[in-house]
Amino acid sequence: LSGIQPTGRFHWGNYFGAIRQYIALQDNEQAFYFIADLHALTTVRNATTLRDFTRDAALDLLALGLDPAKATLFRQSDIPEVTELMWLLITLTPMSLLEKCHAYKDKLAKGLSADAGLFSYPVLMAADILLYDSNVVPVGVDQVQHIEVTRDLAIKFNLTYQRDVFVLPDARVMAETAKVVGTDGEKMSKSYGNTIELFEDAKKLRKKIMSIKTDSTPVEAPKNPETCPVFTLYKLFATAAQQSDLANRYRAGGMGYGEAKQALFEAADAFIGPARARREKLAANANDVEDVLQTGAKRARVKAQEVLNRAREACGLARRGS
Ligand code: ADP
Ligand code: TRP
């Protein structure tokens, strides 16, 4: 199981750090993926924007290869059980555990005021995970702390009520692309304004790539591919042979960064081309996407009701019929 927030269009960091893993793990036919629209409410405060981003997220995921015949794709807010489970968990959550969490801490450090939604965000995430007996949670490195909180809360609940109500989940991080760099060489993130969107059209994609920050080594001089963000990003899209070819050209000198950027553009554009075409087809049939989400929600709810009943019973609330 994993979730992704609809807080903007997906960028390369989202794909290589998270989405690609979802798709790789869907083949066992037990995967659950959801669009975390309830989490997005902590940042998106406009109804049209939230609806658009949610729909874009579904289209992007399907176009990238998420297959609803194999994986269950749904909207978080279509499963009301999740907010109820959040309450059961939050009554056992120490304040000190949430005070340590980075999303909240970072906001405070920047002098911004945090609301109770952001503060308790990790508990909603724990409910997301525990509600479906999830064992493997593919995420980017920045989410590992939240999976640890989830485990802590599951253990605490099981101990408090003396029953094995919840399965303990594990984070799955892909090490080699754990952190995708942005156009400024820092971690790619919406909040840093350094992203390259996955479904950018070819012209804008090229422009974005040309804006990647490089040093002022002259064209003739040999260059180090390993410290160059253009090369680092190229590795995401290129085969091993293409990578060693471009690395040799860096080291030989006589190649400007413009040429490396052009190589990156061509590789990225070729990579996204087929998904772009699939996305256009899907977008033309809006009802089909809604159907996928509804069918997914129905399937997910069956599991959610079973697990929530287990939790309700353990803490002394009545079981509920479906
Ligand atoms: P952003 O930082 O742009 O707001 P999100 O926090 O919405 O991105 O991230 C969604 C998912 O994508 C998370 O699982 C996160 O770990 C992953 N992710 C985001 N940016 C990167 C990156 N630069 N490198 C690797 N993974 C990333
Ligand atoms: N917090 C995650 C992020 O920002 C999104 C998310 C919400 C999630 N619930 C989840 C990820 C449950 C994995 C499991 O990326």
PDB file of all heavy atoms in Angstrom, residues 201-232:
ATOM      1  N   ASP A 201       4.902  19.347 -21.593  1.00  0.00           N
ATOM      2  CA  ASP A 201       4.998  19.118 -23.043  1.00  0.00           C
ATOM      3  C   ASP A 201       6.443  19.347 -23.493  1.00  0.00           C
ATOM      4  O   ASP A 201       7.233  19.975 -22.789  1.00  0.00           O
ATOM      5  CB  ASP A 201       3.994  19.974 -23.827  1.00  0.00           C
ATOM      6  CG  ASP A 201       4.331  21.447 -23.780  1.00  0.00           C
ATOM      7  OD1 ASP A 201       5.455  21.809 -24.168  1.00  0.00           O
ATOM      8  OD2 ASP A 201       3.465  22.236 -23.342  1.00  0.00           O
ATOM      9  N   ALA A 202       6.761  18.810 -24.667  1.00  0.00           N
ATOM     10  CA  ALA A 202       8.164  18.725 -25.088  1.00  0.00           C
ATOM     11  C   ALA A 202       8.876  20.080 -25.048  1.00  0.00           C
ATOM     12  O   ALA A 202      10.020  20.178 -24.600  1.00  0.00           O
ATOM     13  CB  ALA A 202       8.240  18.118 -26.480  1.00  0.00           C
ATOM     14  N   LYS A 203       8.186  21.130 -25.482  1.00  0.00           N
ATOM     15  CA  LYS A 203       8.826  22.437 -25.559  1.00  0.00           C
ATOM     16  C   LYS A 203       9.204  22.960 -24.164  1.00  0.00           C
ATOM     17  O   LYS A 203      10.335  23.411 -23.923  1.00  0.00           O
ATOM     18  CB  LYS A 203       7.849  23.417 -26.241  1.00  0.00           C
ATOM     19  CG  LYS A 203       8.559  24.432 -27.092  1.00  0.00           C
ATOM     20  CD  LYS A 203       7.586  25.194 -27.959  1.00  0.00           C
ATOM     21  CE  LYS A 203       7.967  26.676 -27.892  1.00  0.00           C
ATOM     22  NZ  LYS A 203       6.846  27.525 -28.282  1.00  0.00           N
ATOM     23  N   LYS A 204       8.245  22.863 -23.266  1.00  0.00           N
ATOM     24  CA  LYS A 204       8.501  23.345 -21.901  1.00  0.00           C
ATOM     25  C   LYS A 204       9.526  22.469 -21.195  1.00  0.00           C
ATOM     26  O   LYS A 204      10.316  22.941 -20.389  1.00  0.00           O
ATOM     27  CB  LYS A 204       7.203  23.345 -21.094  1.00  0.00           C
ATOM     28  CG  LYS A 204       6.281  24.489 -21.438  1.00  0.00           C
ATOM     29  CD  LYS A 204       5.334  24.751 -20.257  1.00  0.00           C
ATOM     30  CE  LYS A 204       4.193  25.646 -20.642  1.00  0.00           C
ATOM     31  NZ  LYS A 204       2.871  25.064 -20.337  1.00  0.00           N
ATOM     32  N   LEU A 205       9.464  21.170 -21.502  1.00  0.00           N
ATOM     33  CA  LEU A 205      10.411  20.222 -20.899  1.00  0.00           C
ATOM     34  C   LEU A 205      11.842  20.619 -21.268  1.00  0.00           C
ATOM     35  O   LEU A 205      12.731  20.688 -20.416  1.00  0.00           O
ATOM     36  CB  LEU A 205      10.097  18.807 -21.397  1.00  0.00           C
ATOM     37  CG  LEU A 205      11.009  17.695 -20.898  1.00  0.00           C
ATOM     38  CD1 LEU A 205      10.885  17.529 -19.387  1.00  0.00           C
ATOM     39  CD2 LEU A 205      10.685  16.364 -21.581  1.00  0.00           C
ATOM     40  N   ARG A 206      12.033  20.941 -22.561  1.00  0.00           N
ATOM     41  CA  ARG A 206      13.368  21.308 -23.033  1.00  0.00           C
ATOM     42  C   ARG A 206      13.839  22.581 -22.321  1.00  0.00           C
ATOM     43  O   ARG A 206      14.976  22.670 -21.851  1.00  0.00           O
ATOM     44  CB  ARG A 206      13.342  21.503 -24.541  1.00  0.00           C
ATOM     45  CG  ARG A 206      14.707  21.663 -25.134  1.00  0.00           C
ATOM     46  CD  ARG A 206      14.728  21.500 -26.643  1.00  0.00           C
ATOM     47  NE  ARG A 206      16.110  21.535 -27.078  1.00  0.00           N
ATOM     48  CZ  ARG A 206      16.819  22.665 -27.184  1.00  0.00           C
ATOM     49  NH1 ARG A 206      16.257  23.819 -26.931  1.00  0.00           N
ATOM     50  NH2 ARG A 206      18.094  22.611 -27.553  1.00  0.00           N
ATOM     51  N   LYS A 207      12.925  23.533 -22.207  1.00  0.00           N
ATOM     52  CA  LYS A 207      13.270  24.813 -21.576  1.00  0.00           C
ATOM     53  C   LYS A 207      13.684  24.609 -20.105  1.00  0.00           C
ATOM     54  O   LYS A 207      14.673  25.166 -19.643  1.00  0.00           O
ATOM     55  CB  LYS A 207      12.044  25.742 -21.657  1.00  0.00           C
ATOM     56  CG  LYS A 207      12.426  27.189 -21.673  1.00  0.00           C
ATOM     57  CD  LYS A 207      11.274  28.077 -22.057  1.00  0.00           C
ATOM     58  CE  LYS A 207      11.476  29.408 -21.332  1.00  0.00           C
ATOM     59  NZ  LYS A 207      10.217  30.137 -21.186  1.00  0.00           N
ATOM     60  N   LYS A 208      12.916  23.776 -19.418  1.00  0.00           N
ATOM     61  CA  LYS A 208      13.207  23.474 -18.016  1.00  0.00           C
ATOM     62  C   LYS A 208      14.591  22.836 -17.878  1.00  0.00           C
ATOM     63  O   LYS A 208      15.391  23.192 -17.018  1.00  0.00           O
ATOM     64  CB  LYS A 208      12.171  22.486 -17.453  1.00  0.00           C
ATOM     65  CG  LYS A 208      11.018  23.106 -16.687  1.00  0.00           C
ATOM     66  CD  LYS A 208      11.398  23.414 -15.242  1.00  0.00           C
ATOM     67  CE  LYS A 208      10.391  24.265 -14.517  1.00  0.00           C
ATOM     68  NZ  LYS A 208       9.125  23.580 -14.286  1.00  0.00           N
ATOM     69  N   ILE A 209      14.857  21.866 -18.772  1.00  0.00           N
ATOM     70  CA  ILE A 209      16.129  21.152 -18.708  1.00  0.00           C
ATOM     71  C   ILE A 209      17.283  22.110 -19.000  1.00  0.00           C
ATOM     72  O   ILE A 209      18.326  22.068 -18.353  1.00  0.00           O
ATOM     73  CB  ILE A 209      16.110  19.933 -19.665  1.00  0.00           C
ATOM     74  CG1 ILE A 209      15.162  18.870 -19.095  1.00  0.00           C
ATOM     75  CG2 ILE A 209      17.513  19.374 -19.869  1.00  0.00           C
ATOM     76  CD1 ILE A 209      14.896  17.684 -19.997  1.00  0.00           C
ATOM     77  N   MET A 210      17.089  23.018 -19.960  1.00  0.00           N
ATOM     78  CA  MET A 210      18.143  23.986 -20.283  1.00  0.00           C
ATOM     79  C   MET A 210      18.423  24.916 -19.093  1.00  0.00           C
ATOM     80  O   MET A 210      19.483  25.526 -19.023  1.00  0.00           O
ATOM     81  CB  MET A 210      17.769  24.803 -21.526  1.00  0.00           C
ATOM     82  CG  MET A 210      17.777  23.978 -22.814  1.00  0.00           C
ATOM     83  SD  MET A 210      19.422  23.251 -23.156  1.00  0.00           S
ATOM     84  CE  MET A 210      18.992  21.885 -24.251  1.00  0.00           C
ATOM     85  N   SER A 211      17.452  25.037 -18.173  1.00  0.00           N
ATOM     86  CA  SER A 211      17.661  25.947 -17.038  1.00  0.00           C
ATOM     87  C   SER A 211      18.372  25.288 -15.854  1.00  0.00           C
ATOM     88  O   SER A 211      18.606  25.921 -14.827  1.00  0.00           O
ATOM     89  CB  SER A 211      16.309  26.506 -16.566  1.00  0.00           C
ATOM     90  OG  SER A 211      15.643  25.539 -15.775  1.00  0.00           O
ATOM     91  N   ILE A 212      18.732  24.010 -15.982  1.00  0.00           N
ATOM     92  CA  ILE A 212      19.415  23.332 -14.868  1.00  0.00           C
ATOM     93  C   ILE A 212      20.758  24.015 -14.593  1.00  0.00           C
ATOM     94  O   ILE A 212      21.509  24.327 -15.521  1.00  0.00           O
ATOM     95  CB  ILE A 212      19.633  21.824 -15.182  1.00  0.00           C
ATOM     96  CG1 ILE A 212      18.278  21.120 -15.307  1.00  0.00           C
ATOM     97  CG2 ILE A 212      20.492  21.152 -14.109  1.00  0.00           C
ATOM     98  CD1 ILE A 212      18.369  19.684 -15.798  1.00  0.00           C
ATOM     99  N   LYS A 213      21.011  24.266 -13.323  1.00  0.00           N
ATOM    100  CA  LYS A 213      22.209  25.009 -12.934  1.00  0.00           C
ATOM    101  C   LYS A 213      23.469  24.143 -13.087  1.00  0.00           C
ATOM    102  O   LYS A 213      23.534  23.034 -12.569  1.00  0.00           O
ATOM    103  CB  LYS A 213      22.080  25.452 -11.474  1.00  0.00           C
ATOM    104  CG  LYS A 213      22.597  26.848 -11.232  1.00  0.00           C
ATOM    105  CD  LYS A 213      22.116  27.397  -9.904  1.00  0.00           C
ATOM    106  CE  LYS A 213      23.057  26.978  -8.782  1.00  0.00           C
ATOM    107  NZ  LYS A 213      22.536  27.357  -7.469  1.00  0.00           N
ATOM    108  N   THR A 214      24.460  24.671 -13.820  1.00  0.00           N
ATOM    109  CA  THR A 214      25.733  23.950 -13.961  1.00  0.00           C
ATOM    110  C   THR A 214      26.856  24.917 -13.616  1.00  0.00           C
ATOM    111  O   THR A 214      26.626  26.121 -13.509  1.00  0.00           O
ATOM    112  CB  THR A 214      25.924  23.451 -15.422  1.00  0.00           C
ATOM    113  OG1 THR A 214      25.561  24.505 -16.320  1.00  0.00           O
ATOM    114  CG2 THR A 214      25.064  22.241 -15.715  1.00  0.00           C
ATOM    115  N   ASP A 215      28.078  24.395 -13.447  1.00  0.00           N
ATOM    116  CA  ASP A 215      29.181  25.300 -13.076  1.00  0.00           C
ATOM    117  C   ASP A 215      29.751  25.974 -14.333  1.00  0.00           C
ATOM    118  O   ASP A 215      29.256  25.755 -15.436  1.00  0.00           O
ATOM    119  CB  ASP A 215      30.249  24.554 -12.271  1.00  0.00           C
ATOM    120  CG  ASP A 215      30.857  23.411 -13.064  1.00  0.00           C
ATOM    121  OD1 ASP A 215      30.984  23.536 -14.303  1.00  0.00           O
ATOM    122  OD2 ASP A 215      31.203  22.375 -12.452  1.00  0.00           O
ATOM    123  N   SER A 216      30.828  26.763 -14.154  1.00  0.00           N
ATOM    124  CA  SER A 216      31.302  27.550 -15.304  1.00  0.00           C
ATOM    125  C   SER A 216      32.537  26.951 -15.972  1.00  0.00           C
ATOM    126  O   SER A 216      33.293  27.653 -16.621  1.00  0.00           O
ATOM    127  CB  SER A 216      31.573  28.979 -14.844  1.00  0.00           C
ATOM    128  OG  SER A 216      32.427  28.929 -13.725  1.00  0.00           O
ATOM    129  N   THR A 217      32.737  25.625 -15.836  1.00  0.00           N
ATOM    130  CA  THR A 217      33.857  24.978 -16.520  1.00  0.00           C
ATOM    131  C   THR A 217      33.737  25.256 -18.025  1.00  0.00           C
ATOM    132  O   THR A 217      32.673  25.050 -18.602  1.00  0.00           O
ATOM    133  CB  THR A 217      33.808  23.434 -16.296  1.00  0.00           C
ATOM    134  OG1 THR A 217      33.478  23.183 -14.944  1.00  0.00           O
ATOM    135  CG2 THR A 217      35.100  22.763 -16.666  1.00  0.00           C
ATOM    136  N   PRO A 218      34.815  25.731 -18.682  1.00  0.00           N
ATOM    137  CA  PRO A 218      34.707  26.027 -20.122  1.00  0.00           C
ATOM    138  C   PRO A 218      34.480  24.759 -20.955  1.00  0.00           C
ATOM    139  O   PRO A 218      34.828  23.657 -20.517  1.00  0.00           O
ATOM    140  CB  PRO A 218      36.069  26.653 -20.464  1.00  0.00           C
ATOM    141  CG  PRO A 218      36.924  26.531 -19.265  1.00  0.00           C
ATOM    142  CD  PRO A 218      36.125  26.064 -18.116  1.00  0.00           C
ATOM    143  N   VAL A 219      33.943  24.965 -22.167  1.00  0.00           N
ATOM    144  CA  VAL A 219      33.597  23.841 -23.042  1.00  0.00           C
ATOM    145  C   VAL A 219      34.769  22.868 -23.214  1.00  0.00           C
ATOM    146  O   VAL A 219      34.602  21.646 -23.086  1.00  0.00           O
ATOM    147  CB  VAL A 219      33.148  24.373 -24.435  1.00  0.00           C
ATOM    148  CG1 VAL A 219      32.940  23.217 -25.411  1.00  0.00           C
ATOM    149  CG2 VAL A 219      31.866  25.197 -24.306  1.00  0.00           C
ATOM    150  N   GLU A 220      35.972  23.394 -23.486  1.00  0.00           N
ATOM    151  CA  GLU A 220      37.120  22.517 -23.798  1.00  0.00           C
ATOM    152  C   GLU A 220      37.527  21.629 -22.616  1.00  0.00           C
ATOM    153  O   GLU A 220      38.040  20.536 -22.818  1.00  0.00           O
ATOM    154  CB  GLU A 220      38.383  23.322 -24.176  1.00  0.00           C
ATOM    155  CG  GLU A 220      38.187  24.595 -24.986  1.00  0.00           C
ATOM    156  CD  GLU A 220      37.646  25.738 -24.111  1.00  0.00           C
ATOM    157  OE1 GLU A 220      38.335  26.234 -23.203  1.00  0.00           O
ATOM    158  OE2 GLU A 220      36.469  26.096 -24.360  1.00  0.00           O
ATOM    159  N   ALA A 221      37.308  22.122 -21.395  1.00  0.00           N
ATOM    160  CA  ALA A 221      37.853  21.422 -20.224  1.00  0.00           C
ATOM    161  C   ALA A 221      37.117  20.111 -19.929  1.00  0.00           C
ATOM    162  O   ALA A 221      35.922  20.001 -20.167  1.00  0.00           O
ATOM    163  CB  ALA A 221      37.760  22.338 -19.008  1.00  0.00           C
ATOM    164  N   PRO A 222      37.870  19.104 -19.408  1.00  0.00           N
ATOM    165  CA  PRO A 222      37.212  17.869 -18.964  1.00  0.00           C
ATOM    166  C   PRO A 222      36.276  18.175 -17.795  1.00  0.00           C
ATOM    167  O   PRO A 222      36.530  19.111 -17.035  1.00  0.00           O
ATOM    168  CB  PRO A 222      38.370  16.992 -18.478  1.00  0.00           C
ATOM    169  CG  PRO A 222      39.622  17.645 -18.934  1.00  0.00           C
ATOM    170  CD  PRO A 222      39.333  19.086 -19.182  1.00  0.00           C
ATOM    171  N   LYS A 223      35.208  17.419 -17.684  1.00  0.00           N
ATOM    172  CA  LYS A 223      34.227  17.664 -16.628  1.00  0.00           C
ATOM    173  C   LYS A 223      33.943  16.379 -15.860  1.00  0.00           C
ATOM    174  O   LYS A 223      34.092  15.297 -16.397  1.00  0.00           O
ATOM    175  CB  LYS A 223      32.929  18.206 -17.238  1.00  0.00           C
ATOM    176  CG  LYS A 223      33.131  19.511 -17.972  1.00  0.00           C
ATOM    177  CD  LYS A 223      31.864  19.952 -18.670  1.00  0.00           C
ATOM    178  CE  LYS A 223      32.127  21.228 -19.454  1.00  0.00           C
ATOM    179  NZ  LYS A 223      33.151  21.031 -20.533  1.00  0.00           N
ATOM    180  N   ASN A 224      33.503  16.569 -14.629  1.00  0.00           N
ATOM    181  CA  ASN A 224      33.207  15.404 -13.795  1.00  0.00           C
ATOM    182  C   ASN A 224      31.706  15.088 -13.848  1.00  0.00           C
ATOM    183  O   ASN A 224      30.902  15.848 -13.320  1.00  0.00           O
ATOM    184  CB  ASN A 224      33.634  15.700 -12.355  1.00  0.00           C
ATOM    185  CG  ASN A 224      33.399  14.510 -11.448  1.00  0.00           C
ATOM    186  OD1 ASN A 224      32.877  13.466 -11.885  1.00  0.00           O
ATOM    187  ND2 ASN A 224      33.769  14.644 -10.183  1.00  0.00           N
ATOM    188  N   PRO A 225      31.340  13.972 -14.495  1.00  0.00           N
ATOM    189  CA  PRO A 225      29.900  13.678 -14.603  1.00  0.00           C
ATOM    190  C   PRO A 225      29.253  13.459 -13.241  1.00  0.00           C
ATOM    191  O   PRO A 225      28.097  13.819 -13.038  1.00  0.00           O
ATOM    192  CB  PRO A 225      29.855  12.401 -15.459  1.00  0.00           C
ATOM    193  CG  PRO A 225      31.216  11.807 -15.374  1.00  0.00           C
ATOM    194  CD  PRO A 225      32.171  12.947 -15.152  1.00  0.00           C
ATOM    195  N   GLU A 226      30.004  12.871 -12.318  1.00  0.00           N
ATOM    196  CA  GLU A 226      29.398  12.451 -11.047  1.00  0.00           C
ATOM    197  C   GLU A 226      28.936  13.619 -10.176  1.00  0.00           C
ATOM    198  O   GLU A 226      28.116  13.447  -9.289  1.00  0.00           O
ATOM    199  CB  GLU A 226      30.358  11.545 -10.261  1.00  0.00           C
ATOM    200  CG  GLU A 226      30.711  10.230 -10.972  1.00  0.00           C
ATOM    201  CD  GLU A 226      29.500   9.421 -11.458  1.00  0.00           C
ATOM    202  OE1 GLU A 226      28.413   9.524 -10.846  1.00  0.00           O
ATOM    203  OE2 GLU A 226      29.641   8.714 -12.477  1.00  0.00           O
ATOM    204  N   THR A 227      29.493  14.821 -10.406  1.00  0.00           N
ATOM    205  CA  THR A 227      29.067  15.945  -9.581  1.00  0.00           C
ATOM    206  C   THR A 227      28.111  16.879 -10.334  1.00  0.00           C
ATOM    207  O   THR A 227      27.753  17.940  -9.840  1.00  0.00           O
ATOM    208  CB  THR A 227      30.295  16.775  -9.118  1.00  0.00           C
ATOM    209  OG1 THR A 227      31.019  17.169 -10.286  1.00  0.00           O
ATOM    210  CG2 THR A 227      31.192  15.976  -8.187  1.00  0.00           C
ATOM    211  N   CYS A 228      27.723  16.467 -11.553  1.00  0.00           N
ATOM    212  CA  CYS A 228      26.879  17.332 -12.379  1.00  0.00           C
ATOM    213  C   CYS A 228      25.400  16.907 -12.304  1.00  0.00           C
ATOM    214  O   CYS A 228      25.077  15.747 -12.572  1.00  0.00           O
ATOM    215  CB  CYS A 228      27.366  17.258 -13.832  1.00  0.00           C
ATOM    216  SG  CYS A 228      26.310  18.186 -14.963  1.00  0.00           S
ATOM    217  N   PRO A 229      24.507  17.843 -11.939  1.00  0.00           N
ATOM    218  CA  PRO A 229      23.094  17.460 -11.836  1.00  0.00           C
ATOM    219  C   PRO A 229      22.494  16.971 -13.158  1.00  0.00           C
ATOM    220  O   PRO A 229      21.610  16.126 -13.162  1.00  0.00           O
ATOM    221  CB  PRO A 229      22.396  18.749 -11.365  1.00  0.00           C
ATOM    222  CG  PRO A 229      23.368  19.846 -11.553  1.00  0.00           C
ATOM    223  CD  PRO A 229      24.739  19.238 -11.546  1.00  0.00           C
ATOM    224  N   VAL A 230      23.027  17.482 -14.284  1.00  0.00           N
ATOM    225  CA  VAL A 230      22.495  17.044 -15.586  1.00  0.00           C
ATOM    226  C   VAL A 230      22.766  15.548 -15.765  1.00  0.00           C
ATOM    227  O   VAL A 230      21.882  14.774 -16.149  1.00  0.00           O
ATOM    228  CB  VAL A 230      23.121  17.848 -16.752  1.00  0.00           C
ATOM    229  CG1 VAL A 230      22.576  17.369 -18.093  1.00  0.00           C
ATOM    230  CG2 VAL A 230      22.889  19.341 -16.566  1.00  0.00           C
ATOM    231  N   PHE A 231      23.998  15.151 -15.433  1.00  0.00           N
ATOM    232  CA  PHE A 231      24.334  13.740 -15.588  1.00  0.00           C
ATOM    233  C   PHE A 231      23.566  12.878 -14.583  1.00  0.00           C
ATOM    234  O   PHE A 231      23.085  11.785 -14.909  1.00  0.00           O
ATOM    235  CB  PHE A 231      25.846  13.517 -15.437  1.00  0.00           C
ATOM    236  CG  PHE A 231      26.245  12.113 -15.772  1.00  0.00           C
ATOM    237  CD1 PHE A 231      26.304  11.688 -17.096  1.00  0.00           C
ATOM    238  CD2 PHE A 231      26.513  11.198 -14.757  1.00  0.00           C
ATOM    239  CE1 PHE A 231      26.631  10.366 -17.403  1.00  0.00           C
ATOM    240  CE2 PHE A 231      26.839   9.876 -15.066  1.00  0.00           C
ATOM    241  CZ  PHE A 231      26.904   9.466 -16.392  1.00  0.00           C
ATOM    242  N   THR A 232      23.459  13.378 -13.371  1.00  0.00           N
ATOM    243  CA  THR A 232      22.725  12.641 -12.336  1.00  0.00           C
ATOM    244  C   THR A 232      21.301  12.354 -12.801  1.00  0.00           C
ATOM    245  O   THR A 232      20.775  11.251 -12.622  1.00  0.00           O
ATOM    246  CB  THR A 232      22.674  13.482 -11.035  1.00  0.00           C
ATOM    247  OG1 THR A 232      24.003  13.883 -10.736  1.00  0.00           O
ATOM    248  CG2 THR A 232      22.103  12.713  -9.886  1.00  0.00           C
TER     249      THR A 232
END
